[in-house]
Amino acid sequence: MKKIRLLLEYDGTNYHGWQVQKDETTIQGIIEDGVQRITGEHSSIIGASRTDAGVHALGQVATFRTESRFDPASIRRALNAVLPPDIRVLGASGVDDAFHPREDAGGKRYFYIIANQRISSAFIFRYAWVVPQTLDMDSIIEASRVFIGRHDFSSFMGTGSDIKDPVREVHSLNIERLEKIDFMTAGLSGNFIKISIEAEGFLRHMVRNIVGTLVETGRGRIFPDSIKEILESRDRRKAGQTAPPQGLFLERIDY
């Protein structure tokens, strides 16, 4: 029995998230089916991050065990031949059996794209949150600084989560304004905001709830100096809305 580590990229638009769910099409389920097709074995795929429905990944990490004779390079080629084109295996390697993609992760990095404009390109709606109201960047940047550090993020945790320890450390949170996004050798012009956040780990919906709160700050509905109070309240109802999933990308997992 050997353990294979996969580096994955996927467009989450057509999937009900990462984790296998009854009667739903998920990334994990599709990959498990692919592994069974090429090895004849039913193997459980363990991912580093359980991305939500509609969320994308540029650097998801996952593992599975197999008794097949295929080497990692052959597994990568075979999986890419049977997986749908919106899920790709970028790399495959053998790994020690003790390695766990989620528990051994030292940090994760996500970014979120906002198209802050009334009319958006036809090629961006799958990958950005279109916010037509003008956002105050100074307020967003001021509010974002409060999230950096070690905090109890209960106010930014998705309802229904069974996590017992809501304390997480955010290493960095950067805000960029972009006038163009490169796409298929062309540049899509517009008013884009990229929010990048790196942490030791994240709670369910934590990034999307932080982004939604920052947008509410940019709209003037939440004041930047209220963010500390919202964090300390540990009350989800006091934070902003949950940003829609399509603007969120899992960029990388660090080990």
Side-chain angles (χ1 to χ4, degrees):
M1 183 75 72
K2 56 191 174 187
K3 180 178 276 190
I4 302 297
R5 169 174 164 169
L6 303 175
L7 179 63
L8 301 164
E9 176 183 81
Y10 50 81
D11 180 329
T13 304
N14 296 322
Y15 301 98
H16 204 76
W18 167 267
Q19 193 167 2
V20 168
Q21 299 177 49
K22 186 178 180 180
D23 300 326
E24 299 288 356
T25 303
T26 66
I27 306 291
Q28 183 185 24
I30 290 289
I31 298 173
E32 287 183 352
D33 289 346
V35 169
Q36 186 164 16
R37 286 180 64 182
I38 66 176
T39 68
E41 306 163 336
H42 177 71
S43 301
S44 178
I45 306 294
I46 299 175
S49 183
R50 297 168 182 163
T51 50
D52 299 328
V55 173
H56 318 291
L58 301 174
Q60 172 75 285
V61 175
T63 60
F64 69 95
R65 291 184 173 89
T66 178
E67 293 182 346
S68 73
R69 58 181 174 80
F70 298 117
D71 61 27
S74 298
I75 288 173
R76 176 190 177 189
R77 288 194 298 271
L79 275 177
N80 280 330
V82 300
L83 291 174
D86 52 3
I87 304 175
R88 293 291 87 187
V89 181
L90 303 180
S93 60
V95 69
D96 187 275
D97 191 62
F99 174 77
H100 193 287
R102 187 168 58 253
E103 294 176 1
D104 290 343
K108 300 176 183 179
R109 183 178 178 89
Y110 284 84
F111 67 81
Y112 195 100
I113 301 295
I114 296 168
N116 189 203
Q117 53 203 54
R118 291 189 176 278
I119 300 176
S120 182
S121 166
F123 299 103
I124 203 70
F125 76 98
R126 290 180 183 270
Y127 310 108
W129 178 13
V130 179
V131 178
Q133 300 90 350
T134 300
L135 300 178
D136 183 339
M137 286 293 291
D138 289 339
S139 293
I140 290 175
I141 291 170
E142 182 183 348
S144 72
R145 297 190 183 110
V146 183
F147 293 105
I148 299 172
R150 194 165 190 83
H151 305 287
D152 183 326
F153 281 95
S154 294
S155 297
F156 298 89
M157 179 170 62
T159 56
S161 177
D162 58 358
I163 296 295
K164 295 180 180 179
D165 181 10
V167 175
R168 296 292 185 273
E169 182 169 359
V170 172
H171 302 309
S172 65
L173 201 167
N174 297 314
I175 313 290
E176 300 176 71
R177 187 183 285 280
L178 307 172
E179 295 181 353
K180 184 175 72 172
I181 291 180
D182 291 332
F183 178 81
M184 299 294 287
T185 75
L188 302 180
S189 297
N191 185 21
F192 302 103
I193 300 171
K194 180 180 180 181
I195 301 174
S196 302
I197 180 166
E198 188 169 354
E200 61 177 3
F202 294 91
L203 304 170
R204 182 170 181 257
H205 292 173
M206 177 174 157
V207 177
R208 291 168 58 193
N209 290 337
I210 288 174
V211 170
T213 300
L214 290 175
V215 166
E216 293 297 278
T217 303
R219 286 170 168 160
R221 297 175 182 172
I222 294 176
F223 296 111
D225 56 9
S226 298
I227 300 298
K228 186 174 184 294
E229 178 183 336
I230 293 171
L231 270 170
E232 293 175 348
S233 74
R234 303 177 185 177
D235 186 348
R236 173 69 190 94
R237 295 169 297 179
K238 292 188 176 181
Q241 64 181 300
T242 302
Q246 72 271 13
L248 184 59
F249 293 76
L250 170 60
E251 184 173 4
R252 69 170 191 260
I253 311 290
D254 295 325
Y255 294 96

